[in-house]
Amino acid sequence: MGKGGEQRRGRSYDAELTAAVERAQQGDEDAFAVAYRIVHPGLLGYVRGLVGEDAEDVASDAWLEIARDLGRFRGDGAGFRGWTAMIGRHRALDHLRRQARRPRTALLEQDVLQMPGEHDTAAAALEALSTEAALALIRTLPREQAEAVLLRVVVGLDGPATARVLGKRSGAVRTSAYRGLKRLAEQVIRGGGGTTASGPERRTPGDAS
C-alpha cells in the first residue's frame, strides 16, 4: 500500500478512535474496549522498545492511568494516541529509574510493525523487510533516533505529537526521525548490510549519533 493509502487508513482509524473515546468518556465500556483495541498494539510496541520484556506490566500500569484520567482528556483520535503514548513513556521511564536501566530498543512483535501510521518512503521500505531484518535495522540506531522512529512508525504520531511525548523541540525530533529513517533507508538500499550483531556497523540505541 502506498503512502496515500496508509494516510487514508490512518485517518479512518483516527475517526473510529475519536468516536470511541467520546462514547467511553460517557461511560460506554464497549467503546473503551474499541479504543483499547486500536491503541494498545502500538502503545505496547513503543513501551517494549523502552523496557523490553517488562512491557506488558508497564503497559498495564499505563492503561490503569489512562482509564482513571480519561475524563480529563480533550482532543480527537490522533490526540488520544499521543496522550496515551506520553502516559506510557512516563510509566516506562519510572520503571527504568526503579530498575536503574536506560531505555533501549527491544524486540517488536510483527503485528505492531503493521500498525497504521504516518509512513514516509524510508518507513515503507522498512516494512517490506522481514520482521527480524526490520528489528535489526532499528536496533542499529542511536537511542534518540530509535525512539523517534518508534513513535512515528509504530505509534503513528506526527512530528508535533512526537515532540510533545519526548518533551523536546519539534525541530530536534524532526532531525532525529529524519536521520534515523535516512539511515534505515540507506541500509535497505544496501540490502541490509551492517545489521548483524557481528557486523562492523553494529550499534546500540545508547551510542552517540
Side-chain angles (χ1 to χ4, degrees):
M1 180 178 293
K3 182 177 179 180
E6 290 289 349
Q7 290 178 336
R8 286 192 295 274
R9 186 175 68 174
R11 287 194 293 269
S12 175
Y13 269 85
D14 282 345
E16 182 182 1
L17 182 56
T18 298
V21 170
E22 289 176 352
R23 295 197 307 273
Q25 288 179 315
Q26 297 169 4
D28 187 332
E29 294 183 0
D30 290 338
F32 186 84
V34 171
Y36 176 90
R37 173 181 57 79
I38 294 172
V39 172
H40 181 66
L43 179 64
L44 179 62
Y46 175 53
V47 172
R48 191 183 302 280
L50 297 177
V51 304
E53 63 184 12
D54 296 326
E56 293 281 358
D57 290 340
V58 173
S60 293
D61 289 342
W63 278 107
L64 288 175
E65 183 173 345
I66 292 165
R68 184 193 69 196
D69 295 342
L70 182 63
R72 302 178 185 178
F73 170 75
R74 297 293 181 271
D76 59 6
F80 185 76
R81 284 190 289 116
W83 181 66
T84 56
M86 187 175 298
I87 291 174
R89 186 172 195 263
H90 289 165
R91 296 289 70 75
L93 294 179
D94 286 345
H95 176 80
L96 291 169
R97 280 190 286 267
R98 289 194 299 268
Q99 299 297 322
R101 293 204 308 252
R102 295 184 63 188
R104 59 187 175 86
T105 304
L107 294 179
L108 305 175
E109 296 170 344
Q110 184 169 0
D111 60 341
V112 170
L113 292 178
Q114 296 173 344
M115 282 296 292
E118 194 169 286
H119 296 190
D120 60 11
T121 302
L126 184 64
E127 286 188 336
L129 301 175
S130 68
T131 300
E132 181 179 356
L135 293 174
L137 288 174
I138 292 175
R139 294 180 68 185
T140 65
L141 298 177
R143 181 178 60 83
E144 290 185 0
Q145 293 179 15
E147 193 169 359
V149 170
L150 285 167
L151 285 168
R152 294 298 302 273
V153 177
V154 178
V155 182
L157 301 185
D158 61 16
T162 299
R164 286 193 294 273
V165 171
L166 297 178
K168 297 184 177 181
R169 294 192 301 271
S170 293
V173 171
R174 281 197 302 271
T175 298
S176 292
Y178 171 78
R179 288 177 177 172
L181 289 170
K182 182 174 183 290
R183 184 174 296 182
L184 292 175
E186 290 171 350
Q187 294 281 17
V188 171
I189 291 171
R190 290 202 300 267
T195 62
T196 63
S198 59
E201 295 185 20
R202 173 66 177 174
R203 305 183 63 174
T204 63
D207 291 339
S209 55

